[in-house]
Amino acid sequence: MRLYNTLTKRLEEFKPVEPGRVKMYVCGPTVYDYFHIGNARPFIFYDVLRRYLKYRGYDVVYVQNITDVDDKIIHRAAADGLTPQEVAERYTQAYFEDLERLGIQPADHQPKATEYIPQMIKFVQALIDKGYAYVVDGDVYFRVKRFPDYGRLSGKPIDELLAGARVEVDERKENPLDFALWKRAKPGEPRWPSPWGEGRPGWHLECSVMSISLLGETFDLHGGGTDLIFPHHENELAQSEAAAARPFVRYWVHNELLKFQGEKMSKSLGNFEYARDVVARYGKEAVRYFYLSKHYRTPINFSPEAMADAQRAVERVYHLLEEIDYEQKRHDGRGLKLDKRRLTRRGKEFLRLIEQTRREFIEHLDDDFNTAAALGALFELVKEANVFRQQMAPEDLPLLKLTYDLIRELGGPLGLFQESPWRQAKSELEGQLIGILIDVRNRLRTQKEFELADQIRTRLKELGIELKDKGEETIWSYLSTDRS
Ligand code: AMP
Ligand code: ZN
C-alpha cells in the first residue's frame, strides 16, 4: 500500500510501526457551531481510510479530538448569552448527530481537550525544563529557534515563515514565530490553575497531548485538511518531537479543500452550507459519493449540479441492486449456486470482469486511496451488468448474485450501497395502505376495469409513489431520489 506523505512530499510504502496495527489521529471539530459541508470532507475521507485499512486486515485505533476550549467558543458564548461549556456541549452533541447523518463511524476515542488539562500542563512544564519554552506574564511560548527542523512539514524555510509572521510583531515574544502553548486567562474566560497562573491551553498543544496520551509518542498516521499544515501541524510536530526527542508521526496525510465558486468554503468567508442541510437535500450517500468520486488530494467545487450528478450515480447502483434482488426473489433462490462449468461463453467473460473489478478496486485504493479510480472500476461493472442481464441465459443467473455481493462488499469500505435496495415505506401503515391499493388495482385489472386501475396508478404517482408490474407481481418505490 502506498500513500502520499506531506512530510517527505512523496508517495511512500505504508508500513505501520507495529505490523498489522495502525494508530491514527485526525484533527476534529472546534465545537462552536454545526460543521459545514467542507468540514465533512476530512470526516468522510478518514472514515473511509479507516474502513479500508480494516478491510485490508489491519487492526486500527482511530482517535479524533474535540476542541471544546477555544476563542471561537468563547465568542459564540458571549454572543448567545451562554457559558462556553454550554456552547461546547450543544455543538458536541450536534457533531455526533451529523456524523450519523453522514454515515460516519465514530472514532474509537473522541477525547475532549478539557479532559486532558493536567497532561497538558505536564507537557508544557517538560518543554520549559528542556529550554524549548519560556514564560512571559502567565503566557507560555514555544521557542521555535531551539527546534532546527521547524518548517520541514510545510516545506517553507524559516526565513520565509518569518517574513510572513513579522506583520504582527509581539514585543513579548523572543521571535515572531514563537507560538502560545499556554494562554493566561482574560476576565470571564474558562481557566485552569497552572504553575504559571490561571489560564488555558493553546490549540496546537491540545492535539499533541491528546494524540500522545492515547497513541504513544510515535504513531502511524496524522490527518487533517491542507489548511492545517501550517501553522497547526507544523507546531504540533515541533513541540511533540521537542518533548519526546523521537519522531512524532510517520505519515502526515492531508485532504484538499472543498471550494465554492473558486474559494475555500469557510465560516469566515460566509460561503458555506451546513452539512446537515446538504444531507437533508441530497441524501448521505450522494454526499459521500460526491467526495469519493474525486481523489482526496484534488480540490473540489461544490455545486447543486455536482450534487445532483452524485445522487444519480448512487441511484444507478441501487437500481441495479433492486433489479438483481427482484430477479433472485423471482427464482426463490433456485438455480443461484455458481457452477462455473455450466456458464455460457458470455457468462464466463462476465465472471472474469467481476473478478477483475475486485482486483482493480483494491489496486486503486492501495495506490494512495484513489477512491475516484476505485469507483470508476465499480461503475464499469455496473454498466456491463446492466447490459448483461438484459439478455441473459438462465445458466448465467448466479453471476447476478455474485455482482450484487461484490457491490455490497466493495461499497463497505466506502460506506456506500449498504442500504436495502428497496425503498422502505416511511411507516408500516404507509406500506400496508399501498399494499391494499395494489391488491385492489390488480383485482380491477383481472375484471378488465382498466380505467379505474390506471387511475390508482396515476394518482399514486402524483404522490411520488411508482408502481411497477413485474410479471405476476406488482412492486412499488418512491420516485424521489433521496435515499436517506
Ligand atoms: P476546523 O473546525 O476549521 O478546524 O476544521 C475541521 C476540519 O475541517 C479540519 O480538518 C480542516 O482542515 C477541515 N476543513 C475546513 N474547511 C475545509 C474545506 N473548505 N474543505 C475541506 N476541509 C476543510
Ligand atoms: Zn489538531
Side-chain angles (χ1 to χ4, degrees):
M1 197 180 281
R2 297 192 315 159
L3 90 149
Y4 184 83
N5 189 350
T6 310
L7 189 62
T8 57
K9 291 158 194 66
R10 53 189 175 79
L11 285 166
E12 287 181 22
E13 190 61 32
F14 180 64
K15 281 206 205 87
V17 179
E18 210 182 304
R21 190 135 201 265
V22 179
K23 294 181 179 180
M24 61 185 272
Y25 181 90
V26 173
C27 295
T30 304
V31 280
Y32 70 103
D33 194 1
Y34 305 121
F35 64 83
H36 64 63
I37 189 67
N39 297 134
R41 186 169 196 183
F43 302 159
I44 291 171
F45 173 64
Y46 296 103
D47 175 52
V48 168
L49 190 150
R50 173 227 220 164
R51 288 174 189 243
Y52 184 65
L53 289 171
K54 282 189 167 175
Y55 174 80
R56 296 292 272 142
Y58 288 101
D59 191 9
V60 182
V61 188
Y62 179 19
V63 179
Q64 195 188 39
N65 69 297
I66 289 175
T67 299
D68 62 345
V69 51
D70 183 83
D71 288 342
K72 288 177 189 154
I73 299 172
I74 295 168
H75 292 152
R76 177 80 193 230
D80 291 0
L82 296 168
T83 66
Q85 291 87 324
E86 284 167 338
V87 169
E89 273 163 30
R90 174 178 299 180
Y91 292 107
T92 299
Q93 200 191 333
Y95 166 71
F96 285 114
E97 288 164 12
D98 288 355
L99 287 191
E100 199 179 326
R101 285 187 169 99
L102 284 159
I104 295 168
Q105 298 170 345
D108 301 302
H109 302 274
Q110 300 260 195
K112 293 179 180 160
T114 54
E115 292 166 350
Y116 283 79
I117 305 286
Q119 291 92 324
M120 292 179 196
I121 291 174
K122 223 171 115 197
F123 190 95
V124 174
Q125 190 59 55
L127 287 173
I128 296 173
D129 294 346
K130 289 182 175 182
Y132 282 108
Y134 57 96
V135 188
V136 199
D137 312 331
D139 288 333
V140 186
Y141 290 103
F142 185 82
R143 188 175 272 133
V144 166
K145 269 243 160 72
R146 271 288 320 264
F147 190 76
D149 245 9
Y150 195 81
R152 185 168 156 223
L153 181 67
S154 50
K156 293 184 191 166
I158 286 214
D159 297 347
E160 196 180 306
L161 293 174
L162 261 175
R166 282 244 165 76
V167 196
E168 28 159 342
V169 180
D170 181 344
E171 301 281 297
R172 303 168 340 128
K173 292 202 261 179
E174 292 177 6
N175 181 314
L177 288 178
D178 292 352
F179 56 89
L181 296 164
W182 184 264
K183 299 176 178 181
R184 189 171 80 170
K186 299 196 191 96
E189 287 186 357
R191 60 189 60 217
W192 288 265
S194 83
W196 323 289
E198 293 200 326
R200 60 188 169 96
W203 172 40
H204 317 304
L205 177 75
E206 296 175 3
C207 279
S208 286
V209 171
M210 286 186 273
S211 58
I212 290 174
S213 299
L214 289 160
L215 298 174
E217 286 173 339
T218 300
F219 56 92
D220 300 300
L221 195 152
H222 192 316
T226 51
D227 57 336
L228 298 187
I229 297 174
F230 188 84
H232 184 50
H233 290 163
E234 192 74 65
N235 292 351
E236 270 190 48
L237 192 162
Q239 68 204 5
S240 302
E241 297 201 347
R246 52 189 290 187
F248 175 44
V249 167
R250 309 254 296 212
Y251 305 90
W252 285 90
V253 179
H254 292 99
N255 62 278
E256 256 302 340
L257 303 181
L258 179 71
K259 311 227 161 165
F260 184 69
Q261 297 173 342
E263 269 185 302
K264 175 189 171 186
M265 182 180 280
S266 74
K267 296 260 166 78
S268 51
L269 288 173
N271 60 349
F272 68 91
E273 290 213 53
Y274 289 121
R276 49 173 61 197
D277 294 341
V278 177
V279 174
R281 210 172 316 139
Y282 301 103
K284 73 173 175 213
E285 296 204 29
V287 174
R288 294 181 76 99
Y289 179 89
F290 165 73
Y291 278 127
L292 300 174
S293 62
K294 295 277 181 343
H295 191 265
Y296 76 95
R297 286 192 291 115
T298 13
I300 307 188
N301 255 304
F302 181 75
S303 71
E305 294 77 28
M307 293 309 301
D309 283 348
Q311 222 177 16
R312 273 192 295 274
V314 170
E315 216 40 52
R316 206 173 313 143
V317 177
Y318 274 109
H319 179 72
L320 175 66
L321 293 180
E322 191 180 279
E323 291 292 335
I324 295 178
D325 198 47
Y326 174 77
E327 237 1 83
Q328 286 179 28
K329 287 216 172 89
R330 209 159 65 91
H331 286 80
D332 209 13
R334 274 173 286 113
L336 292 180
K337 230 176 106 41
L338 179 69
D339 179 352
K340 288 186 190 176
R341 287 161 312 176
R342 289 196 62 219
L343 295 177
T344 64
R345 240 180 107 110
R346 197 162 159 261
K348 286 188 180 122
E349 248 170 58
F350 191 71
L351 178 62
R352 271 197 294 279
L353 176 68
I354 293 176
E355 287 163 352
Q356 183 192 328
T357 302
R358 181 189 278 107
R359 260 196 322 272
E360 282 183 10
F361 186 91
I362 291 174
E363 269 169 30
H364 290 311
L365 286 183
D366 276 357
D367 185 14
D368 196 23
F369 300 98
N370 193 342
T371 53
L375 273 170
L378 195 62
F379 272 75
E380 191 55 34
L381 177 68
V382 169
K383 193 177 100 195
E384 291 299 326
N386 275 324
V387 177
F388 181 73
R389 73 182 171 81
Q390 304 286 347
Q391 331 138 6
M392 192 184 46
E395 305 88 285
D396 293 337
L397 190 64
L399 295 175
L400 286 190
K401 170 146 174 55
L402 224 52
T403 306
Y404 185 98
D405 292 345
L406 185 68
I407 292 173
R408 292 286 215 203
E409 177 192 323
L410 302 183
L414 305 179
L416 290 173
F417 318 131
Q418 306 298 303
E419 308 285 317
S420 158
W422 298 94
R423 302 297 174 73
Q424 305 288 312
K426 289 191 176 124
S427 69
E428 204 180 324
L429 179 64
E430 185 191 52
Q432 287 164 350
L433 290 174
I434 297 171
I436 292 175
L437 286 169
I438 289 176
D439 284 348
V440 171
R441 175 171 167 268
N442 286 343
R443 279 277 188 83
L444 289 169
R445 290 205 305 170
T446 48
Q447 292 166 13
K448 306 221 183 305
E449 296 267 9
F450 293 117
E451 209 186 311
L452 266 180
D454 282 351
Q455 239 193 66
I456 290 179
R457 185 194 190 125
T458 314
R459 294 190 60 184
L460 278 174
K461 198 160 185 176
E462 283 163 15
L463 296 177
I465 289 161
E466 186 175 33
L467 303 187
K468 291 182 215 162
D469 298 313
K470 300 235 172 192
E472 298 285 286
E473 208 184 335
T474 303
I475 56 169
W476 71 272
S477 61
Y478 290 113
L479 277 170
S480 125
T481 45
D482 190 352
R483 209 162 249 289
S484 54

